[in-house]
Amino acid sequence: MPMIDTPESALVPKLRGLHLFGFDGAPCSQRVSFTLAEKGFRRARSVRWNDDSAAACAAPPGTYVFRPVSLVRKEHLTAEYAALQPNMVVPVLVHDGRAVIESMDIVDYLEHLVPDPPLVPAEPAAAALMNELLELGKTLHVSVRYVSFHWGLGRLGRIGRNDEARIAELERADSPEQLLSFYQRYNRDAIDEDTYLGHLRTLEEGWGAQEARFAADGRPFLTGASLSRADILWAAMVLRIFECGYPFAARFPRLNDWFERMRARQGFQAGVLAPNQTMHRVFRFKAALERFFGGGLARVAAR
Ligand SMILES: N[C@@H](CCC(=O)N[C@@H](CS)C(=O)NCC(=O)O)C(=O)O
């Protein structure tokens, strides 16, 4: 069973039903809202992330309450949020007073909660490939961060000195996210171009291996005939890099076709695209401008 964390936040024990603390523009949060939609849950409403009023604390069956934690306003870099999610990242799922952190542990938790429709292939070889792609996807997440900050967010990704000081004070030394180390280098332009390019090449290697699997047997989903948790993780990853202007159609056409199929799904529309229109437009607009001036990801994509 996935990990159930026991956070210090006094809010958690008050929550009944499902509550998702997330940010609609963040791939890790999208993995969960996509899964919730595929499992048939509807976003009943959004409330302030720390709203503990009786009305906000109850999620009716078949729905979840969305509690947006703004990564733009840096709500995740506060002591109050760190009491809920000690690594200071989104998402967190709370179900009947129990909190689960780590997006893919949350997806696993939802699979146990609602086994139908299954997001694990029945066939052992396909299930093994799913696990492999999940592990790879978790590793590639670091590269997604570097690529999307450098080619997507640019200067908008920097944080202020006060936020940096707050992370220094609150982040646990053993946090797997290591936000302080990243922001200290990112804020000061101390990450060199080769590091960013290395992360892009790592991503392209992973996409290339999947392109070959699509080419070999024309499978509709990453692991075979049905949607799995690997598709969930990878769809959110490809969306972010697509938003940053990566030319998937030209470089990885079969992966691009798969992504189009994912985009057409009702669960992806409802769980990911509909709530994320503003961020999506901002990213795409910036990418189009860079392409126009001959820069951006299209210029450095592998030939
Ligand atoms: N391992 C974590 C990673 C979560 C994560 O990196 N979340 C990002 C958004 S995708 C975040 O909150 N970043 C905050 C920041 O970069 O300041 C998970 O899968 O849940």
Side-chain angles (χ1 to χ4, degrees), residues 51-63:
D51 188 341
D52 64 353
S53 65
C57 287
T63 72

Side-chain angles (χ1 to χ4, degrees), residues 119-192:
L119 290 173
V120 179
E123 212 245 310
L129 176 59
M130 179 192 81
N131 288 332
E132 200 184 298
L133 292 176
L134 288 179
E135 281 318 305
L136 178 62
K138 287 182 199 168
T139 313
L140 293 182
H141 178 66
V142 177
S143 298
V144 171
R145 164 174 270 269
Y146 277 80
V147 168
S148 60
F149 268 73
H150 187 52
W151 283 285
L153 292 166
R155 297 180 75 86
L156 297 176
R158 292 191 183 171
I159 59 170
R161 282 190 184 280
N162 288 348
D163 290 322
E164 208 179 283
R166 222 167 305 120
I167 306 178
E169 182 196 329
L170 297 168
E171 187 176 46
R172 296 192 310 202
D174 63 349
S175 166
E177 311 305 338
Q178 294 297 309
L179 290 184
L180 184 63
S181 154
F182 176 78
Y183 279 120
Q184 278 178 334
R185 288 173 297 132
Y186 189 77
N187 280 347
R188 292 163 186 74
D189 272 338
I191 304 171
D192 59 32

Side-chain angles (χ1 to χ4, degrees), residues 22-34:
F23 182 67
D24 280 324
C28 308
S29 190
Q30 290 167 346
R31 297 168 187 174
V32 177
S33 46
F34 185 13

Side-chain angles (χ1 to χ4, degrees), residues 228-241:
S228 80
R229 286 186 232 168
D231 296 282
I232 302 265
L233 189 160
W234 279 53
M237 159 174 73
V238 168
L239 172 65
R240 170 45 39 87
I241 306 298

Side-chain angles (χ1 to χ4, degrees), residues 261-280:
R261 288 194 291 281
M262 298 302 285
R263 279 223 286 202
R265 286 185 79 84
Q266 222 268 323
F268 198 69
Q269 293 279 339
V272 178
L273 296 178
N276 178 35
Q277 287 177 13
T278 310
M279 281 287 278
H280 183 75

